[in-house]
Amino acid sequence: MKKVDLKGLTVEQLQEQIASEKDRLQKMKFAHAITPIENPKRITETRKVIARLSTELSSR
């Protein structure tokens, strides 16, 4: 997600997005612990998306 995309979201939408991304991250971590996933870089990308969303939420 780009910063421009985040500007158009409401606070509630940001909170929902953060919750869904955290859930997705947790599932990916569990899947990776059992059997290595194809692209482990996706875990890092998901963490960065969560950080971007959190930063946008805290700036409001």
Side-chain angles (χ1 to χ4, degrees):
M1 297 187 97
K2 301 284 184 179
K3 190 170 186 172
V4 176
D5 298 335
L6 299 177
K7 290 288 183 185
L9 297 176
T10 64
V11 174
E12 292 82 20
Q13 289 173 329
L14 285 171
Q15 291 172 341
E16 290 173 10
Q17 195 75 13
I18 290 171
S20 67
E21 289 293 326
K22 283 185 178 182
D23 185 47
R24 182 174 155 205
L25 177 64
Q26 186 178 15
K27 288 179 182 177
M28 273 196 284
K29 282 184 178 181
F30 285 143
H32 186 64
I34 295 170
T35 58
I37 57 177
E38 282 183 26
N39 189 2
K41 183 79 172 157
R42 287 179 27 203
I43 294 173
T44 306
E45 291 170 0
T46 304
R47 283 198 345 246
K48 288 182 180 182
V49 168
I50 292 170
R52 285 187 193 107
L53 291 166
S54 298
T55 302
E56 181 63 31
L57 184 62
S58 67
S59 70
R60 295 183 183 191

Coordinates of all heavy atoms in Angstrom, one line a residue:
M1 N 0.8 -1.2 0.0 CA 0.0 0.0 0.0 C 0.9 1.2 0.0 O 1.8 1.3 0.7 CB -0.9 0.0 1.2 CG -1.9 -1.1 1.3 SD -3.0 -0.9 2.7 CE -4.4 -0.2 1.8
K2 N 0.5 2.2 -0.8 CA 1.2 3.5 -0.9 C 0.6 4.4 0.1 O -0.5 4.3 0.6 CB 1.0 4.1 -2.3 CG 1.5 3.2 -3.4 CD 3.0 3.2 -3.4 CE 3.5 2.4 -4.6 NZ 4.9 2.4 -4.7
K3 N 1.4 5.5 0.5 CA 0.9 6.4 1.4 C -0.3 7.2 0.9 O -1.2 7.5 1.7 CB 2.0 7.4 1.7 CG 1.8 8.3 2.9 CD 3.0 9.1 3.2 CE 2.7 9.9 4.5 NZ 3.8 10.6 5.0
V4 N -0.4 7.4 -0.4 CA -1.6 8.0 -1.0 C -2.8 7.2 -0.7 O -3.9 7.7 -0.4 CB -1.4 8.2 -2.5 CG1 -2.6 8.8 -3.1 CG2 -0.1 9.1 -2.7
D5 N -2.7 5.9 -0.8 CA -3.8 5.0 -0.6 C -4.3 5.1 0.9 O -5.5 5.0 1.1 CB -3.5 3.5 -0.9 CG -3.1 3.3 -2.3 OD1 -3.5 4.1 -3.2 OD2 -2.3 2.4 -2.6
L6 N -3.4 5.2 1.8 CA -3.7 5.3 3.2 C -4.4 6.6 3.6 O -5.2 6.6 4.5 CB -2.5 5.1 4.0 CG -1.7 3.8 3.8 CD1 -0.4 3.8 4.7 CD2 -2.6 2.6 4.2
K7 N -4.1 7.6 2.9 CA -4.7 8.9 3.2 C -6.3 8.9 3.0 O -7.0 9.6 3.7 CB -4.1 10.1 2.3 CG -2.7 10.4 2.7 CD -2.6 11.1 4.0 CE -1.2 11.5 4.3 NZ -1.0 12.1 5.6
G8 N -6.7 8.1 2.1 CA -8.2 8.1 1.8 C -9.0 7.2 2.8 O -10.2 7.2 2.7
L9 N -8.3 6.5 3.6 CA -9.0 5.6 4.6 C -9.4 6.3 5.8 O -8.7 7.2 6.3 CB -8.1 4.4 4.9 CG -7.7 3.5 3.8 CD1 -6.7 2.4 4.3 CD2 -8.9 2.8 3.1
T10 N -10.5 5.9 6.4 CA -11.0 6.4 7.7 C -10.2 5.7 8.8 O -9.6 4.7 8.6 CB -12.5 6.2 7.9 OG1 -12.8 4.8 8.0 CG2 -13.3 6.9 6.7
V11 N -10.4 6.2 10.0 CA -9.7 5.6 11.2 C -10.2 4.2 11.4 O -9.4 3.3 11.7 CB -10.0 6.5 12.5 CG1 -9.5 5.8 13.7 CG2 -9.4 7.9 12.3
E12 N -11.5 4.0 11.2 CA -12.1 2.6 11.4 C -11.5 1.7 10.4 O -11.2 0.5 10.7 CB -13.6 2.7 11.3 CG -14.3 3.4 12.5 CD -14.3 4.9 12.3 OE1 -14.2 5.4 11.1 OE2 -14.4 5.6 13.3
Q13 N -11.4 2.1 9.1 CA -10.9 1.3 8.1 C -9.4 0.9 8.4 O -9.0 -0.2 8.1 CB -11.0 2.0 6.7 CG -12.4 2.1 6.2 CD -12.5 2.9 5.0 OE1 -11.8 3.8 4.8 NE2 -13.5 2.5 4.1
L14 N -8.7 1.9 8.9 CA -7.3 1.7 9.2 C -7.2 0.6 10.3 O -6.4 -0.3 10.2 CB -6.6 2.9 9.7 CG -6.2 3.9 8.6 CD1 -5.7 5.2 9.2 CD2 -5.1 3.4 7.7
Q15 N -8.0 0.7 11.3 CA -8.0 -0.3 12.4 C -8.4 -1.7 11.9 O -7.8 -2.7 12.3 CB -8.9 0.2 13.5 CG -8.4 1.4 14.3 CD -9.5 2.0 15.2 OE1 -10.7 1.7 15.1 NE2 -9.0 2.8 16.2
E16 N -9.4 -1.7 11.0 CA -9.8 -3.0 10.5 C -8.6 -3.6 9.6 O -8.4 -4.8 9.7 CB -11.0 -2.9 9.6 CG -12.3 -2.6 10.4 CD -13.4 -2.3 9.5 OE1 -13.3 -2.5 8.3 OE2 -14.5 -1.8 10.0
Q17 N -8.0 -2.8 8.9 CA -6.9 -3.2 8.0 C -5.7 -3.7 8.8 O -5.1 -4.8 8.5 CB -6.4 -2.1 7.1 CG -5.6 -2.5 6.0 CD -6.4 -3.1 4.8 OE1 -7.6 -3.1 4.8 NE2 -5.6 -3.8 3.9
I18 N -5.4 -3.0 9.9 CA -4.3 -3.5 10.8 C -4.6 -4.8 11.4 O -3.8 -5.7 11.5 CB -4.1 -2.4 11.9 CG1 -3.4 -1.2 11.3 CG2 -3.2 -3.0 13.0 CD1 -3.3 0.0 12.3
A19 N -5.9 -5.0 11.9 CA -6.3 -6.3 12.5 C -6.2 -7.4 11.5 O -5.7 -8.5 11.8 CB -7.7 -6.2 13.0
S20 N -6.6 -7.2 10.2 CA -6.6 -8.2 9.2 C -5.1 -8.6 8.8 O -4.8 -9.7 8.6 CB -7.4 -7.9 8.0 OG -6.8 -6.8 7.3
E21 N -4.3 -7.5 8.7 CA -2.9 -7.8 8.4 C -2.2 -8.5 9.5 O -1.3 -9.4 9.3 CB -2.2 -6.5 8.1 CG -2.6 -5.8 6.8 CD -2.2 -6.6 5.6 OE1 -1.1 -7.3 5.6 OE2 -3.0 -6.6 4.6
K22 N -2.5 -8.2 10.8 CA -1.8 -8.9 11.9 C -2.3 -10.4 11.9 O -1.4 -11.2 12.2 CB -2.2 -8.2 13.2 CG -1.4 -7.0 13.5 CD -1.7 -6.4 14.8 CE -0.9 -5.1 15.1 NZ -1.2 -4.6 16.5
D23 N -3.5 -10.6 11.6 CA -4.0 -12.0 11.5 C -3.3 -12.7 10.4 O -2.9 -13.9 10.6 CB -5.5 -12.0 11.3 CG -6.1 -13.4 11.4 OD1 -5.8 -14.1 12.3 OD2 -6.9 -13.7 10.5
R24 N -3.2 -12.1 9.3 CA -2.5 -12.7 8.1 C -1.0 -13.0 8.5 O -0.5 -14.0 8.1 CB -2.6 -11.7 6.9 CG -2.0 -12.2 5.7 CD -2.3 -11.2 4.6 NE -1.3 -11.4 3.6 CZ -0.9 -10.4 2.7 NH1 -1.5 -9.3 2.7 NH2 0.0 -10.7 1.8
L25 N -0.4 -12.1 9.2 CA 1.0 -12.3 9.5 C 1.2 -13.4 10.5 O 2.1 -14.3 10.3 CB 1.6 -11.0 10.2 CG 3.0 -11.1 10.7 CD1 4.0 -11.3 9.6 CD2 3.3 -9.8 11.5
Q26 N 0.3 -13.6 11.4 CA 0.3 -14.7 12.4 C 0.2 -16.0 11.6 O 0.9 -17.0 11.9 CB -0.7 -14.5 13.4 CG -0.7 -15.5 14.5 CD -1.7 -15.3 15.6 OE1 -2.7 -14.6 15.4 NE2 -1.5 -16.0 16.7
K27 N -0.8 -16.1 10.7 CA -1.0 -17.3 9.9 C 0.2 -17.6 9.1 O 0.6 -18.8 9.0 CB -2.2 -17.2 9.1 CG -3.5 -17.2 9.8 CD -4.7 -17.0 8.9 CE -6.0 -17.0 9.8 NZ -7.2 -16.8 8.9
M28 N 0.8 -16.6 8.5 CA 2.0 -16.9 7.7 C 3.2 -17.4 8.6 O 3.9 -18.3 8.1 CB 2.5 -15.6 7.0 CG 1.8 -15.4 5.7 SD 2.6 -14.2 4.6 CE 2.2 -12.7 5.4
K29 N 3.3 -16.8 9.8 CA 4.4 -17.3 10.6 C 4.2 -18.7 11.1 O 5.1 -19.5 11.1 CB 4.5 -16.4 11.9 CG 5.1 -15.1 11.6 CD 5.2 -14.3 12.9 CE 6.0 -13.0 12.8 NZ 6.1 -12.3 14.0
F30 N 2.9 -19.1 11.4 CA 2.7 -20.5 11.7 C 2.9 -21.4 10.6 O 3.5 -22.5 10.7 CB 1.2 -20.7 12.2 CG 1.0 -20.1 13.6 CD1 -0.2 -19.5 13.9 CD2 1.9 -20.3 14.6 CE1 -0.5 -19.0 15.2 CE2 1.7 -19.8 15.9 CZ 0.4 -19.2 16.1
A31 N 2.5 -21.0 9.4 CA 2.7 -21.8 8.2 C 4.2 -22.0 7.9 O 4.7 -23.1 7.5 CB 2.0 -21.2 7.0
H32 N 4.9 -20.9 8.1 CA 6.4 -21.0 7.8 C 7.1 -21.8 8.9 O 8.1 -22.5 8.5 CB 6.9 -19.5 7.8 CG 8.4 -19.4 7.4 ND1 8.8 -19.8 6.2 CD2 9.5 -19.0 8.1 CE1 10.1 -19.6 6.1 NE2 10.5 -19.2 7.3
A33 N 6.6 -21.9 10.1 CA 7.3 -22.7 11.1 C 7.1 -24.2 10.8 O 8.0 -25.0 11.1 CB 6.7 -22.3 12.5
I34 N 5.9 -24.5 10.3 CA 5.6 -25.9 10.0 C 6.4 -26.4 8.8 O 7.2 -27.3 8.8 CB 4.1 -26.2 9.9 CG1 3.4 -25.9 11.2 CG2 3.8 -27.6 9.4 CD1 1.9 -25.8 11.1
T35 N 6.1 -25.7 7.7 CA 6.8 -26.0 6.4 C 7.2 -24.6 5.8 O 6.4 -23.7 5.7 CB 6.0 -26.8 5.4 OG1 4.8 -26.0 5.1 CG2 5.6 -28.1 5.9
P36 N 8.4 -24.5 5.4 CA 8.8 -23.2 4.8 C 8.0 -22.7 3.7 O 7.7 -23.5 2.8 CB 10.3 -23.4 4.4 CG 10.7 -24.6 5.2 CD 9.5 -25.4 5.4
I37 N 7.5 -21.5 3.7 CA 6.7 -21.0 2.6 C 7.5 -20.6 1.4 O 8.8 -20.5 1.6 CB 5.8 -19.8 3.1 CG1 6.7 -18.7 3.6 CG2 4.8 -20.2 4.1 CD1 5.9 -17.4 4.0
E38 N 6.9 -20.5 0.3 CA 7.6 -20.2 -1.0 C 8.5 -19.0 -0.9 O 9.6 -19.0 -1.3 CB 6.7 -20.1 -2.2 CG 6.2 -21.4 -2.7 CD 5.3 -21.2 -3.9 OE1 5.4 -20.2 -4.6 OE2 4.4 -22.1 -4.1
N39 N 7.8 -17.9 -0.4 CA 8.5 -16.6 -0.4 C 8.5 -16.0 1.0 O 7.5 -15.3 1.3 CB 7.8 -15.7 -1.4 CG 8.5 -14.4 -1.7 OD1 9.6 -14.2 -1.1 ND2 8.0 -13.5 -2.5
P40 N 9.5 -16.3 1.8 CA 9.5 -15.7 3.1 C 9.6 -14.2 3.2 O 9.3 -13.6 4.2 CB 10.8 -16.4 3.8 CG 11.6 -16.9 2.6 CD 10.7 -17.1 1.5
K41 N 9.9 -13.6 2.1 CA 10.0 -12.1 2.0 C 8.6 -11.5 2.3 O 8.4 -10.4 2.7 CB 10.5 -11.7 0.6 CG 10.7 -10.3 0.5 CD 11.9 -9.8 1.1 CE 12.1 -8.3 0.7 NZ 12.9 -7.6 1.7
R42 N 7.5 -12.3 2.0 CA 6.1 -11.8 2.2 C 5.9 -11.5 3.7 O 5.1 -10.6 4.0 CB 5.1 -12.9 1.8 CG 5.0 -13.0 0.3 CD 4.1 -14.0 -0.2 NE 3.0 -14.3 0.6 CZ 2.3 -15.4 0.6 NH1 2.6 -16.4 -0.2 NH2 1.3 -15.6 1.5
I43 N 6.6 -12.2 4.6 CA 6.4 -12.0 6.0 C 7.0 -10.6 6.4 O 6.3 -9.8 7.0 CB 7.2 -13.0 6.9 CG1 6.5 -14.4 6.7 CG2 7.2 -12.6 8.4 CD1 7.2 -15.5 7.4
T44 N 8.1 -10.3 5.8 CA 8.7 -8.9 6.0 C 7.8 -7.8 5.4 O 7.6 -6.8 6.0 CB 10.1 -8.9 5.4 OG1 10.9 -9.9 5.9 CG2 10.8 -7.6 5.6
E45 N 7.3 -8.1 4.2 CA 6.4 -7.1 3.5 C 5.2 -6.9 4.4 O 4.7 -5.7 4.5 CB 6.1 -7.6 2.1 CG 7.2 -7.6 1.2 CD 6.9 -8.3 -0.1 OE1 5.8 -8.8 -0.3 OE2 7.8 -8.4 -1.0
T46 N 4.6 -7.9 4.9 CA 3.4 -7.8 5.8 C 3.7 -6.9 7.0 O 2.9 -6.1 7.4 CB 2.9 -9.1 6.1 OG1 2.6 -9.9 4.9 CG2 1.5 -9.0 6.9
R47 N 4.9 -7.2 7.6 CA 5.2 -6.4 8.8 C 5.4 -4.9 8.4 O 5.0 -4.0 9.2 CB 6.6 -6.9 9.4 CG 6.4 -8.1 10.2 CD 7.5 -8.5 11.1 NE 8.8 -7.8 10.9 CZ 9.9 -8.3 10.5 NH1 10.0 -9.6 10.3 NH2 11.0 -7.6 10.4
K48 N 5.9 -4.6 7.3 CA 6.1 -3.2 6.8 C 4.7 -2.6 6.6 O 4.5 -1.4 6.9 CB 7.0 -3.2 5.6 CG 8.4 -3.5 5.9 CD 9.3 -3.3 4.7 CE 10.7 -3.6 5.0 NZ 11.6 -3.5 3.8
V49 N 3.8 -3.3 6.0 CA 2.5 -2.8 5.8 C 1.8 -2.5 7.1 O 1.2 -1.4 7.2 CB 1.6 -3.8 4.9 CG1 0.1 -3.4 4.9 CG2 2.1 -3.9 3.5
I50 N 1.9 -3.3 8.1 CA 1.4 -3.1 9.4 C 2.0 -1.8 10.0 O 1.3 -1.0 10.6 CB 1.6 -4.3 10.3 CG1 0.8 -5.5 9.9 CG2 1.2 -3.9 11.8 CD1 1.1 -6.8 10.6
A51 N 3.3 -1.6 9.8 CA 4.0 -0.4 10.3 C 3.5 0.8 9.6 O 3.2 1.8 10.3 CB 5.5 -0.6 10.2
R52 N 3.3 0.8 8.3 CA 2.7 1.9 7.6 C 1.3 2.3 8.1 O 1.0 3.5 8.3 CB 2.7 1.6 6.1 CG 4.0 1.7 5.4 CD 3.9 1.5 3.9 NE 5.2 1.2 3.4 CZ 5.6 0.1 2.9 NH1 4.8 -0.9 2.9 NH2 6.8 -0.1 2.4
L53 N 0.5 1.3 8.2 CA -0.9 1.5 8.7 C -0.9 2.1 10.1 O -1.6 3.0 10.4 CB -1.7 0.2 8.7 CG -2.0 -0.4 7.3 CD1 -2.5 -1.8 7.5 CD2 -3.0 0.5 6.6
S54 N 0.0 1.6 11.0 CA 0.0 2.1 12.4 C 0.5 3.5 12.4 O 0.1 4.3 13.2 CB 0.9 1.2 13.2 OG 0.4 -0.1 13.3
T55 N 1.5 3.8 11.6 CA 2.1 5.2 11.5 C 1.0 6.1 11.1 O 0.8 7.2 11.6 CB 3.3 5.2 10.6 OG1 4.3 4.3 11.0 CG2 3.8 6.6 10.5
E56 N 0.2 5.8 10.0 CA -0.8 6.6 9.5 C -1.9 6.8 10.6 O -2.4 7.9 10.8 CB -1.4 6.0 8.3 CG -2.5 6.9 7.7 CD -2.1 8.2 7.2 OE1 -0.9 8.4 6.8 OE2 -2.9 9.2 7.3
L57 N -2.2 5.8 11.3 CA -3.2 5.8 12.4 C -2.8 6.8 13.5 O -3.6 7.6 14.0 CB -3.6 4.4 12.9 CG -4.7 4.3 13.9 CD1 -6.0 4.8 13.3 CD2 -4.8 2.9 14.4
S58 N -1.5 6.6 13.9 CA -1.0 7.5 15.0 C -0.9 8.9 14.6 O -0.9 9.8 15.5 CB 0.3 6.9 15.5 OG 1.3 7.0 14.6
S59 N -0.7 9.2 13.3 CA -0.5 10.6 12.9 C -1.8 11.3 12.9 O -1.8 12.6 12.8 CB 0.1 10.6 11.5 OG -0.8 10.2 10.5
R60 N -2.9 10.6 13.0 CA -4.2 11.3 13.0 C -4.6 11.6 14.4 O -5.1 12.0 15.1 CB -5.3 10.4 12.4 CG -5.0 10.2 10.9 CD -6.1 9.4 10.3 NE -5.7 9.2 8.9 CZ -6.5 8.8 8.0 NH1 -7.7 8.4 8.3 NH2 -6.1 8.6 6.7

